[in-house]
Amino acid sequence: MTIEDSKANAIHDTHQSAADTHEHQHDEQNSHDSHLEQSTSPQDTKGYQRTLLFSFIIITGYMFIEAIGGWLTGSLALLSDAGHMLSDAVALGATLMAFKIGERAATHQKTFGYKRFEILVATVNGATLIIIALMIFYEALKRFNAPPDIATQGMLIIATIGMLVNILVAWLMHRGSHNGEAHGHGHDGNNSEALNNIADTKEPVNLNMQSAYLHVLSDLMGSVAAIIAALLMMSFGWVWADAIASIIVAVLILFSGYRVVRDSIHILMEGTPAGISLITVEETLVAHPQVQKVHDLHVWSITSGLNALSCHVVVDGEMNIHESSLLIANLEQRLLTLGIHHATIQVESSSHLQTKPHSDALVCDISEQATDSNSHIGHNH
């Protein structure tokens, strides 16, 4: 072998080694991107949708039976329960539609996709619960002044069947909400698997599914109240028991609706998700040896079970781009253990200019940010 051949082989080996190194780094980056894509993907709602479809068919079918029975027997408890079943059917249908729409991919106009539509439907469901409760209150008060004749035996039979139907639907929805089908994908490596297991154990209840479940549960309570009222009227002749039972159900429905509306509005107002503390998030980020400080921290929910975060982390000014990329990847894994699936982290040095719009406070007050002609709304970078 000549000297020229040796040099040529050496150059070839060097190029091949560099190519292998580049390919390895590219594969690592693809693996990392794939992991992030999987970890930020929302819950699979196919199990929810099957449960909602079965429940919708059952509720809608019996709603007509109970409405006719309430009209024939003259029972307000049955009629109010049938009216509530109508709202159940609408709520279940709207919830199913929300999950379908939520599956649509993100666009340039809807960069987070359509997941927030689920929260809008949950808000409407909660509001209808409140309206139904107020209508029952009004009708019950009228019946106190002029109690009508009620066919108690027929009322008892229909209410009992209604209770069994609602128990079946409530059981289906409860099982559908906890069947574990929504858990994420598997990953290679014990560390990634452990992190995903921690995130799964903190998975919150889907608010959209909860609002529909509360509709059915409050309807179940209406059937129980109608049964008790029928028994009291048959045993003691207490004709006012029908109105009393209706009021009790209305109170329970009112509180359920209020909780759903409260939680939905909290999400729509970009509130910090329940179970997540900003102090805990800050401590988790600062625990990394390269992070000196955290500020401009925002945590919110896109929809139930899909939490997002944005923040600024202060590091040593000598850190290069490659090191900051590794830091961000590590911080994202730490945030995943807190149930935060989508994170946008800005890395900056301690020498970054501190202004009123860009202070070092943990929570940024955007209402005080400068809006003069020489600066944009937001942070000056």
Side-chain angles (χ1 to χ4, degrees):
M1 180 180 293
T2 65
I3 297 176
E4 288 77 7
D5 291 338
S6 299
K7 289 182 178 179
N9 289 337
I11 293 173
H12 178 270
D13 291 342
T14 302
H15 288 171
Q16 183 64 36
S17 176
D20 291 342
T21 302
H22 175 74
E23 182 178 357
H24 177 68
Q25 291 176 343
H26 181 69
D27 290 341
E28 281 188 342
Q29 182 64 32
N30 285 342
S31 176
H32 173 64
D33 291 342
S34 175
H35 172 74
L36 288 181
E37 180 181 352
Q38 291 175 347
S39 66
T40 58
S41 59
Q43 297 177 342
D44 177 18
T45 61
K46 296 298 184 184
Y48 290 157
Q49 293 180 31
R50 285 194 297 270
T51 300
L52 288 168
L53 181 59
F54 292 143
S55 301
F56 176 79
I57 294 173
I58 295 171
I59 287 290
T60 303
Y62 192 73
M63 174 194 70
F64 290 105
I65 298 175
E66 195 165 41
I68 294 172
W71 177 67
L72 293 175
T73 61
S75 168
L76 173 62
L78 281 182
L79 286 173
S80 63
D81 200 36
H84 190 216
M85 270 195 159
L86 173 61
S87 74
D88 288 347
V90 173
L92 292 172
T95 302
L96 181 59
M97 180 183 68
F99 281 131
K100 286 291 185 183
I101 293 177
E103 291 177 347
R104 297 172 63 180
T107 66
H108 287 197
Q109 290 73 37
K110 304 287 190 302
T111 56
F112 278 114
Y114 290 80
K115 283 295 176 183
R116 186 58 65 85
F117 188 76
E118 298 175 14
I119 305 303
L120 294 176
V121 171
T123 307
V124 173
N125 282 344
T128 57
L129 284 171
I130 295 175
I131 294 172
I132 289 170
L134 296 177
M135 291 174 62
I136 294 174
F137 269 124
Y138 175 74
E139 191 62 30
L141 292 176
K142 285 172 58 179
R143 291 214 167 191
F144 271 119
N145 298 326
D149 294 330
I150 298 173
T152 54
Q153 187 173 1
M155 172 184 172
L156 179 62
I157 294 173
I158 296 173
T160 301
I161 299 174
M163 179 187 68
L164 297 176
V165 169
N166 282 304
I167 288 175
L168 173 62
V169 173
W171 176 76
L172 286 173
M173 296 189 68
H174 185 270
R175 190 184 69 163
S177 298
H178 299 84
N179 59 8
E181 293 181 5
H183 285 182
H185 311 274
H187 302 280
D188 293 334
N190 294 332
N191 189 41
S192 296
E193 184 177 352
L195 287 170
N196 284 311
N197 288 338
I198 294 173
D200 285 342
T201 58
K202 295 188 177 184
E203 180 182 349
V205 176
N206 184 285
L207 187 59
N208 195 27
M209 196 69 174
Q210 183 188 30
S211 67
Y213 177 70
L214 286 175
H215 264 274
V216 176
L217 198 62
S218 57
D219 198 30
L220 172 60
M221 293 184 291
S223 297
V224 172
I227 292 172
I228 295 174
L231 292 174
L232 290 175
M233 287 186 287
M234 291 172 65
S235 302
F236 305 103
W238 295 348
V239 293
W240 44 263
D242 184 60
I244 289 292
S246 300
I247 290 178
I248 293 174
V249 172
V251 171
L252 296 174
I253 294 174
L254 187 63
F255 278 109
S256 297
Y258 165 74
R259 286 196 296 268
V260 171
V261 171
R262 178 197 62 193
D263 295 343
S264 300
I265 291 178
H266 183 72
I267 292 179
L268 294 175
M269 291 291 292
E270 310 288 358
T272 302
I276 294 181
S277 166
L278 291 188
I279 301 301
T280 302
V281 173
E282 180 189 22
E283 292 173 348
T284 301
L285 295 175
V286 175
H288 193 287
Q290 293 178 296
V291 177
Q292 300 174 1
K293 189 176 178 61
V294 177
H295 63 94
D296 267 349
L297 177 61
H298 302 274
V299 185
W300 69 99
S301 294
I302 299 171
T303 188
S304 298
L306 183 57
N307 301 323
L309 170 146
S310 68
C311 70
H312 297 200
V313 294
V314 178
V315 299
D316 184 356
E318 300 298 322
M319 178 178 289
N320 59 40
I321 295 177
H322 176 69
E323 291 172 339
S324 65
S325 297
L326 295 177
L327 171 63
I328 291 174
N330 185 276
L331 294 180
E332 287 171 339
Q333 292 297 311
R334 291 170 180 246
L335 292 172
L336 188 60
T337 66
L338 300 179
I340 298 172
H341 310 86
H342 183 87
T344 302
I345 303 173
Q346 176 172 314
V347 179
E348 59 190 35
S349 70
S350 55
S351 61
H352 193 284
L353 179 63
Q354 299 296 319
T355 63
K356 189 173 183 180
H358 186 102
S359 68
D360 61 352
L362 180 63
V363 178
C364 171
D365 187 358
I366 61 176
S367 64
E368 295 183 359
Q369 292 186 357
T371 58
D372 57 68
S373 58
N374 295 323
S375 65
H376 61 277
I377 298 177
H379 303 296
N380 298 323
H381 300 302

